[in-house]
DNA sequence: TGTAAACGGATTTTCGAAACTTTTATAAAT
DNA sequence: ATTTATAAAAGTTTCGAAAATCCGTTTACA
């Protein structure tokens, strides 16, 4: 505006938008993002298994696209922590371990409670409506079991995520929401295994959560979600075969 | 081991590595990652300015590489929150705003203190040595001023990051470290502007921090880093021209 | 028999051009 | 003068093939 002393970049500093947190790529509609979405879903549902090698030949056939496009999608998955790559030897699905699940769950407790508390304090009518609606849709589908077809599993996963997203939607911290979402997706992979092997059935924690949130009871809601997360970890540790703590070293070169 | 009831993926669940948190792409050495590293550095140092349109033609010339490679690198930057894209209309550098800086700084306070506290509690001799060494290197260079050549600015930025990374290196939570690192980079863009426009000079906070950490004084060290972050935000808000709170709406279609 | 070099197939990485979309410019019509 | 239509230009997205790299196997040599 007025004469500003010489700037590192002239004028452009005034062209500022409000939010900088990473884009939610799921909202894009180009072909590249289609592939990305599909691959992400396949990893989260363990259709593509942990540690599995991702060869371009197979992927090209599976997703019907070119190498370049695949590469871009894989590149995205790497920065989300769902895949890994080593220069010259391609990509593979990110590994899983109990240690990892414990680590990410601890951080999740903080981010979920932080975003939920803020969301409740700034909730609107539209926010409440979306919670009611997304809970209704989630509740209509029974939690999937091992032998359900993949399409059912995917649909439940989608509704489950939508419900949890709706709870925190009015949180005003884009960065917190972004990291929360990333960790939520990570947890889905473990959640998945847990549900499939679960011996014990859990009561409807989503209903309790919904009511606590709609009642604007911050402490209760945060307590519920914290317990929800911690319980899942413990259940996974005790009921998922093969998921133990000391599984670090394997195949050394 | 023993017969496990039919698994969602057979056998592979046992092939588990310890860590799943996203890879630090900076460690790769392929050509793609070279370009990514350079572009990231250019954005962080505001050589590529906020909101600037990133046209493939120019970039190809600047970094001497092909469209496909660029696309992959840009894709990465988008998921790191350093660039944005809209299907069909290319990429641009992520915008900045005071609101964003405030938001990410709040989260940074939590992640920096969390990782630092854990790192101090599990520090080793090698950890202390690296802190001493990286501080020495940082201290040798005076903080850059506006008219310093870009190479000097870059070198200082590199040493600054190395010092802060060294402090938290022994933290055992890969996910916390990962998010901390991402936010640290984000903050660098604002830190940059602040340093350049700074009217007031600040005392050597890095030295205090180093000593508190080496003395294994968790509370003091965390307090220092918290103040360090908060002070920078306030300084930016008051001394960087054009960086005000209500700058959201601009150019509407 | 053991080690190292060399070969061949499989796979990844890089590239530039073709296809497509958005933007800009120009002209006609209201 | 403003809008609508049309055409050219600029820029982005997608693709498949060429170049480079990796990995397992064979061959050569001590």
């Amino acid at each position: 505006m007025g004469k500003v002393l010489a700037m590192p970049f002239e004028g452009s500093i005034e062209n500022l938008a409000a939010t900088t947190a990473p884009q939610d790529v799921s909202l894009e509609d180009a072909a590249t993002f289609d592939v990305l979405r599909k691959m992400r879903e396949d990893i989260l549902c363990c259709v593509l298994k942990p540690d599995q090698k991702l060869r371009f030949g197979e992927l090209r056939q599976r997703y019907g696209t070119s190498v370049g496009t695949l590469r871009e999608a894989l590149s995205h998955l790497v920065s989300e922590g769902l895949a890994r790559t080593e220069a010259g030897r391609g990509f593979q699905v990110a590994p899983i371990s109990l240690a990892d699940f414990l680590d990410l769950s601890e951080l999740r407790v903080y981010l979920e409670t932080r975003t939920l508390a803020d969301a409740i304090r700034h909730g609107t009518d539209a926010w409440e409506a979306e919670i009611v609606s997304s809970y209704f849709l989630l509740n209509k589908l029974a939690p999937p079991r091992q032998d359900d077809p993949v399409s059912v599993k995917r649909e439940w996963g989608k509704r489950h995520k939508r419900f949890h997203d709706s709870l925190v939607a009015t949180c005003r911290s884009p960065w917190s929401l972004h990291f929360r979402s990333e960790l939520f997706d990570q947890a889905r992979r473990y959640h998945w295994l847990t549900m499939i092997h679960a011996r014990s059935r859990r009561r409807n924690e989503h209903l309790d959560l919904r009511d606590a949130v709609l009642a604007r009871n911050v402490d209760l809601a945060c307590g519920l979600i914290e317990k929800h997360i911690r319980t899942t970890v413990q259940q996974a540790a005790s009921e998922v075969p093969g998921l133990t703590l000391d599984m670090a070293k394997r195949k050394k070169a």
Side-chain angles (χ1 to χ4, degrees), chain A residues 138-200:
Chain A
L138 173 61
N139 195 49
K140 240 183 152 172
L141 244 54
R145 290 210 137 277
Q146 183 173 356
D147 41 6
D148 285 331
V150 179
S151 62
V152 172
K153 293 176 178 173
R154 262 205 254 276
E155 184 58 29
W156 188 87
K158 198 184 287 181
R159 298 187 185 190
H160 184 237
K161 182 169 174 60
R162 180 174 161 189
F163 171 68
H164 277 280
D165 281 351
S166 77
L167 296 179
V168 298
T170 50
C171 168
R172 298 154 314 156
S173 165
W175 279 104
S176 301
L177 283 175
H178 170 66
F179 289 142
R180 184 210 77 93
S181 171
E182 235 174 71
L183 286 182
F184 185 87
D185 275 351
Q186 284 288 337
R188 277 169 77 183
R189 295 210 295 166
Y190 297 96
H191 194 197
W192 204 243
L193 294 174
T194 310
M195 279 204 314
I196 284 171
H197 294 99
R199 289 191 295 269
S200 48

Side-chain angles (χ1 to χ4, degrees), chain A residues 118-130:
Chain A
D118 194 64
I120 290 175
R121 293 198 185 93
H122 299 90
T124 61
D125 283 354
W127 167 74
E128 293 183 352
E130 169 64 11

Side-chain angles (χ1 to χ4, degrees), chain A residues 25-222:
Chain A
V25 184
S26 310
L27 298 177
E28 294 284 345
D29 59 344
T32 302
F33 297 111
D34 243 43
V35 178
L36 174 57
R37 247 196 311 274
K38 282 181 196 158
M39 285 190 61
R40 176 162 40 209
E41 210 55 39
D42 284 344
I43 291 179
L44 294 180
C45 294
C46 296
V47 175
L48 297 174
K49 306 159 192 172
D51 283 315
Q52 180 179 336
K53 189 110 216 309
L54 297 169
R55 283 184 216 80
F56 284 100
E58 301 171 17
L59 295 180
R60 220 159 69 73
Q61 202 168 357
R62 192 181 222 285
Y63 298 103
T65 186
S66 73
V67 187
T69 305
L70 275 172
R71 197 154 228 289
E72 196 181 325
L74 284 167
S75 173
H76 246 290
L77 291 171
V78 168
S79 30
E80 289 173 28
L82 292 172
R84 347 218 73 200
T85 178
E86 216 171 327
R89 55 193 63 169
F91 296 79
Q92 56 188 98
V93 178
I96 61 175
S97 71
L98 185 54
D100 179 62
F101 193 24
L102 283 166
D103 181 29
L104 78 88
S105 294
E106 274 312 305
L107 207 45
R108 264 194 81 200
V109 167
Y110 176 76
L111 285 170
E112 290 282 358
T113 54
R114 175 191 173 97
T115 50
L116 186 56
D118 194 64
I120 290 175
R121 293 198 185 93
H122 299 90
T124 61
D125 283 354
W127 167 74
E128 293 183 352
E130 169 64 11
I131 291 173
V132 171
S133 155
S134 61
Y135 174 81
F136 174 80
L137 288 171
L138 173 61
N139 195 49
K140 240 183 152 172
L141 244 54
R145 290 210 137 277
Q146 183 173 356
D147 41 6
D148 285 331
V150 179
S151 62
V152 172
K153 293 176 178 173
R154 262 205 254 276
E155 184 58 29
W156 188 87
K158 198 184 287 181
R159 298 187 185 190
H160 184 237
K161 182 169 174 60
R162 180 174 161 189
F163 171 68
H164 277 280
D165 281 351
S166 77
L167 296 179
V168 298
T170 50
C171 168
R172 298 154 314 156
S173 165
W175 279 104
S176 301
L177 283 175
H178 170 66
F179 289 142
R180 184 210 77 93
S181 171
E182 235 174 71
L183 286 182
F184 185 87
D185 275 351
Q186 284 288 337
R188 277 169 77 183
R189 295 210 295 166
Y190 297 96
H191 194 197
W192 204 243
L193 294 174
T194 310
M195 279 204 314
I196 284 171
H197 294 99
R199 289 191 295 269
S200 48
R201 267 275 168 234
R202 290 160 66 176
R203 59 174 270 96
N204 192 342
E205 295 173 4
H206 291 133
L207 179 58
D208 298 341
L209 193 51
R210 184 200 74 171
D211 291 337
V213 170
L214 289 181
R216 310 279 179 133
N217 189 333
V218 173
D219 288 342
L220 179 56
C222 289

